[in-house]
Amino acid sequence: MTTDSTSEVQIDTTEQNEETINVDTETPLKQRTVDSSETTGNGTEPKTQFKIFVYHHTHWDREWWATQQDFRIRLLELIDELLEVLDRDPEFRCFLLDGQTIVLKDYLEIRPENTDKLVNYINANRIQCGPWYILPDEFLVSGEAHIRNFWLGERVAERLGIQNLNIGYLPDTFGHISQMPQILRGFGIDNAMIWRGVGGDPQTAKTEFLWEAADDSQVLTHWFPDGYYVVGFEHFDNPQKTDDDTYGRIRKYLEGWAARATTDCLLMPYGGDHLLIDKRLPRLLKQVNESIQDFGGLSWATTQEYFDAVRERHPHLQRRKGERREFGLNYPHLLPGVLSTRLYLKQLNVDGQMWLERYAEPFSALAWRHGRQYDASLLWTAWEYLVQNHPHDSICGCSIDQVHKEMIPRFDQSRQIAQIVTEKSVRYINAQVDTSRLEDDEEALVVHNPLPWTRTGPVDVLIHRKKGIHPRTHVLRDSEGHEVPLQVKDVERVLPLTNQWQYTQVRFVATDVPALGHQTYRLGKRQTTLDQRQMFVTTVQAAARLKGSLAVTDLRVGEGVLENRFLRVEVNRRDGRLSMTDKGSGERYDGLNAFEDGGDAGDEYSYAAPLNDMVLRSNEGARVHVSIAEAGYASATLRIDLDWALPTALFNDRLSRQSEYVDSRISTFVTLASQSKRVEIRTEWENHSKDHRLRVLFPLGTEVSVSQAEGQFDVVERRVRSSESGNGWQELAVATMPQQGYVSVNSGARGLTIANKGLPEFEVLPDGQGTVAVTILRAVGWLSREDIPVRVGGAGPQMPTPDAQCLGRQQVEYAIVPHAGAWLEAQAYRTVHEYLAPFYGSVTDRHAGTLPETDGLLEIEGDHRLLLSACKKAERSDALILRFWNVASTETEVRIRLRERPSGVRLVNLKEEPLEEEGLALDEDGAFRLRAGPAKIVTVAIEFEEEDREELPQSVEKGDRQQVQARKSERSTTGRNGRTNGH
């Protein structure tokens, strides 16, 4: 099990007794005891001789103000020189190639002849790297992406035969997520090195502290008071530089760190962004030591040696819990505007993560359990393309335009692999489903559920258009033979594994599809064609026979109205805003989905309102047109067109928005499905304006003090605050916050949850209405500027980035989920994830098979709060890996039963190593019980009896089915454990 780092360091017991730690009100640290024999020069006061651990390093942004290939050529020069110096100078002890292994990959692709030499120096601990594959942004990628990042770093190390650095090295991310300590501990890392998001007065903000995750996992953490970019020796050997520029500068650094230290150990990083090695360092350390003998001594060390020395001294440490994204005096720049810079990158990333996490991996695992080979290498290739876009300067959108252009093919290739793997896995599973009871003219529509609970919802299946599918001529039936209402429309789309592009989209509501399983429907021709006059919709207002009077489903459409058994949605035809009534609670929500547009005088790193801003709202001047975009029995969509004039840009002095306006049409498509508890929205527009921020607003209708937003393996509660705090600070505090899948607010009786697909920035306005503002566009034209009003200094070179204005076609997607009470009790998170991971619809023909028409991988019993984040084959065994996390702040317990009886179940860490000698106990039916503490990540490895197992080919096409069935003839047609159904 995970061990507690408190066995190696002491916690200030005053703080330990506090349930939560508020950094602003923490008690001061206990001071380290100093030997009274140590004195100052006058012999009257205690004096500490500090041990200064110097580690030589470079911080390697793979791409940023220059392209990847530009920086790679510099990397070649760095490592070539490093290897040459290590060959001839035994005193050049050790160099850290940042905390990532991709630098090795990038170098060896060009210099493969140096592989042995590089590996030998790494194994001799004279070169260090890892444990990450790339240094990521923490808030903009998923929790699973962080885990795969570590795994990719491990895979590089295994291929080269090296040992990665076991340090939680995070020197330059724009804040830190609440669960990073738990993720680090899951990989056996008990420490962290961070910078941004932490700071404060030297009396209370110390360089060492215990950082606690939401589940109370702890890591010993070092905070860089002056950042990782400390270049103290660059002026040495320059006769024109004074003592203040050389020895005095070093001493100033050290004295500042000493005021924050909890022991007599100081850590000095020597290096910076893309800096080469300093061959003089062995000599310079000796020179500096001569000048600071009264203070202490510098020694060339490793980061691990520093942490070991701190632990040996058993300091009393402050305990800080949760995410680290604080503002204030003596704080480094957090640069929070990156959450909404170039949102198209964030949308592509969420899409790519979803394809891998919710479809490609789980469906590959399901197909593998049915006999198909699991192609881990192909999946890892897709992950590698995706994770290469996760460095903080890449996914944050704060690089030059060319860098972000080169990210698009990586997103595309990752998604292409994931989609093809998904489709092949689904086809394989479909080939095992027994559809032999189909009639000659019927096809099987198989609905696949990627989530771990039985669910009902809309699904789309694409069928070649030449088959002429229409509700008038075709009928869809479930497994009981009951007719299922459907609707159709023509679409043109290029799909994997086919050269067809014209399809009929068949949409219907699939009911009770098993967890991680499938449900089969039969589509065939009607015996009698329906009346040509029939309209396939139910209307809100009275209608004539055949014209919408018959309530076929619970969905009804009217003049600016959508309604089902759970919700009623109405469009205000004067201002385009939505009103929504939750029929279960009777609560009504008004003024939803208005747009707010204001100026942005910032850069890629920071949003900044111009000094004289003009903020416009769509409900105060836009022309509105409402129409019906689509109507049917499964779902219906209203279209709201807003014609709105926006300022073209800022004036050249960047103090105000221009008085010239450009017309913009914002088209919003509002969709409600039958039996759905959410309203889905797609908004499209042509952005013709520069230097502005566009947000969409959702008022709860009553004041709130906190919000809850999904993060990485956590739902983070944050206080609502004004964005005006911080007058005179180095960087103003902001009220915008990060999110992953959703943000939620509630007033006790009523709640409102807003889901999103790749829109990671929100704010809850302090307007007394609990209004959630979600950023859907931030248009800026500079990588960094020094003249923005919210930040002192630049965050990078001042370079124009016209593509960051995001001119042209834009599209965003989000959903509204009203509910009674808070998000947890209403299980709004389930509704959100059903929106984010819709059913996967597929089609197959008639054939025999070993799987029933309805089947599921597992059943989870109990009133629980677990969410599945990973379903995959284990990396080093034939076990099935299931990873859950507890969305609640209280313990939860479940009973899990799989369709295939396991031979053993073990708790494992994130490296898939056993946490206990004994596995989990199995009940008589093969089920096991799983307990998860508050916000706990729990991973299980499930083993099966494999003696009679024979993996079948990667793909099963129509002509291979008889051969496949023959090879599986000894398997029961009722499933591996004799059950005919996943329920």
Side-chain angles (χ1 to χ4, degrees), residues 100-204:
Q100 51 189 333
T101 60
I102 199 170
V103 292
L104 306 180
K105 176 180 179 293
D106 287 345
Y107 177 78
L108 293 176
E109 283 179 353
I110 309 299
R111 298 277 194 270
E113 66 275 12
N114 287 344
T115 300
D116 290 344
K117 180 181 288 190
L118 183 62
V119 166
N120 288 338
Y121 278 126
I122 294 173
N123 286 333
N125 206 30
R126 296 189 72 189
I127 297 177
Q128 293 184 324
C129 59
W132 297 98
Y133 179 62
I134 57 88
L135 289 180
D137 181 82
E138 294 182 40
F139 286 98
L140 289 172
V141 305
S142 70
E144 281 298 324
H146 286 312
I147 292 172
R148 308 320 165 88
N149 191 344
F150 273 119
W151 267 103
L152 285 166
E154 184 78 9
R155 287 168 63 84
V156 171
E158 288 180 353
R159 283 196 297 269
L160 293 175
I162 62 174
Q163 183 67 42
N164 275 335
L165 192 65
N166 205 40
I167 298 292
Y169 197 64
L170 292 159
D172 196 26
T173 55
F174 305 140
H176 304 279
I177 60 174
S178 63
Q179 290 283 44
M180 185 53 69
Q182 187 176 179
I183 294 172
L184 292 172
R185 295 306 293 247
F187 281 92
I189 300 171
D190 60 4
N191 58 73
M193 303 176 71
I194 66 176
W195 175 35
R196 303 186 193 274
V198 178
D201 185 271
Q203 293 301 313
T204 55

Side-chain angles (χ1 to χ4, degrees), residues 27 104 127 155 157 197 307 347 349 409 587 617 944:
T27 56
L104 306 180
I127 297 177
R155 287 168 63 84
F307 277 115
Q347 293 171 287
N349 181 62
E587 295 285 345
R617 289 200 174 179
F944 304 93

Side-chain angles (χ1 to χ4, degrees), residues 900-932:
E900 181 182 6
R901 184 184 179 90
S903 60
V905 179
R906 285 184 177 273
L907 289 172
V908 297
N909 62 17
L910 298 182
K911 291 181 72 173
E912 300 179 8
E913 301 166 335
L915 291 172
E916 298 174 338
E917 291 186 9
E918 299 294 328
L920 298 179
L922 296 178
D923 294 342
E924 290 186 4
D925 60 355
F928 61 93
R929 299 179 188 276
L930 190 63
R931 182 181 296 109

Side-chain angles (χ1 to χ4, degrees), residues 145-371:
H146 286 312
I147 292 172
R148 308 320 165 88
N149 191 344
F150 273 119
W151 267 103
L152 285 166
E154 184 78 9
R155 287 168 63 84
V156 171
E158 288 180 353
R159 283 196 297 269
L160 293 175
I162 62 174
Q163 183 67 42
N164 275 335
L165 192 65
N166 205 40
I167 298 292
Y169 197 64
L170 292 159
D172 196 26
T173 55
F174 305 140
H176 304 279
I177 60 174
S178 63
Q179 290 283 44
M180 185 53 69
Q182 187 176 179
I183 294 172
L184 292 172
R185 295 306 293 247
F187 281 92
I189 300 171
D190 60 4
N191 58 73
M193 303 176 71
I194 66 176
W195 175 35
R196 303 186 193 274
V198 178
D201 185 271
Q203 293 301 313
T204 55
K206 300 299 180 179
T207 49
E208 298 87 27
F209 62 91
L210 288 179
W211 182 15
E212 281 189 355
D215 77 319
D216 295 337
S217 299
Q218 294 180 341
V219 290
L220 173 60
T221 302
H222 173 81
W223 167 59
F224 296 103
D226 292 302
Y228 63 90
Y229 202 122
V230 177
V231 186
F233 302 139
E234 75 271 31
H235 298 316
F236 283 75
D237 296 339
N238 185 341
Q240 311 220 334
K241 296 298 180 180
T242 66
D243 188 76
D244 287 341
D245 296 321
T246 54
Y247 301 103
R249 185 181 180 191
I250 296 295
R251 191 178 188 101
K252 184 177 179 182
Y253 274 131
L254 297 174
E255 289 175 347
W257 300 341
R260 297 181 182 274
T262 61
T263 72
D264 61 348
C265 299
L266 304 180
L267 181 65
M268 180 178 182
Y270 181 47
D273 297 352
H274 310 108
L275 293 183
L276 306 183
I277 66 172
D278 190 340
K279 294 179 284 189
R280 309 169 301 158
L281 190 56
R283 171 175 58 84
L284 292 176
L285 291 178
K286 295 175 185 178
Q287 288 179 218
V288 174
N289 276 336
E290 292 177 3
S291 72
I292 62 168
Q293 293 182 37
D294 63 321
F295 183 87
L298 282 71
S299 63
W300 197 328
T302 66
T303 53
Q304 186 62 62
E305 288 170 341
Y306 162 75
F307 277 115
D308 289 344
V310 170
R311 291 180 188 278
E312 288 173 0
R313 286 151 174 78
H314 304 288
H316 292 275
L317 296 178
Q318 216 172 25
R319 186 179 64 178
R320 298 186 174 194
K321 186 164 187 171
E323 65 181 20
R324 308 257 60 85
R325 56 184 319 272
E326 303 147 21
F327 301 84
L329 291 172
N330 301 309
Y331 280 75
H333 292 154
L334 187 64
L335 309 175
V338 297
L339 292 175
S340 51
T341 302
R342 300 184 194 255
L343 279 173
Y344 63 92
L345 297 175
K346 282 69 165 174
Q347 293 171 287
L348 288 170
N349 181 62
V350 165
D351 189 51
Q353 290 174 165
M354 194 62 62
W355 273 105
L356 282 167
E357 296 172 19
R358 289 301 191 201
Y359 299 101
E361 283 188 339
F363 291 171
S364 291
L366 292 172
W368 164 63
R369 292 314 309 158
H370 296 312

Side-chain angles (χ1 to χ4, degrees), residues 723-793:
S723 61
E724 297 177 358
S725 59
N727 185 44
W729 292 355
Q730 291 283 98
E731 180 185 43
L732 298 191
V734 301
T736 51
M737 301 292 177
Q739 63 173 332
Q740 285 284 294
Y742 61 89
V743 58
S744 189
V745 291
N746 77 89
S747 63
R750 55 195 273 139
L752 193 63
T753 297
I754 308 300
N756 76 90
K757 294 184 178 180
L759 304 174
E761 182 181 88
F762 79 92
E763 177 184 353
V764 179
L765 304 180
D767 59 356
Q769 295 298 308
T771 299
V772 176
V774 177
T775 306
I776 61 174
L777 177 75
R778 199 167 77 83
V780 294
W782 294 87
L783 190 151
S784 176
R785 291 185 67 100
E786 302 235 354
D787 61 354
I788 67 174
V790 298
R791 190 186 70 225
V792 176

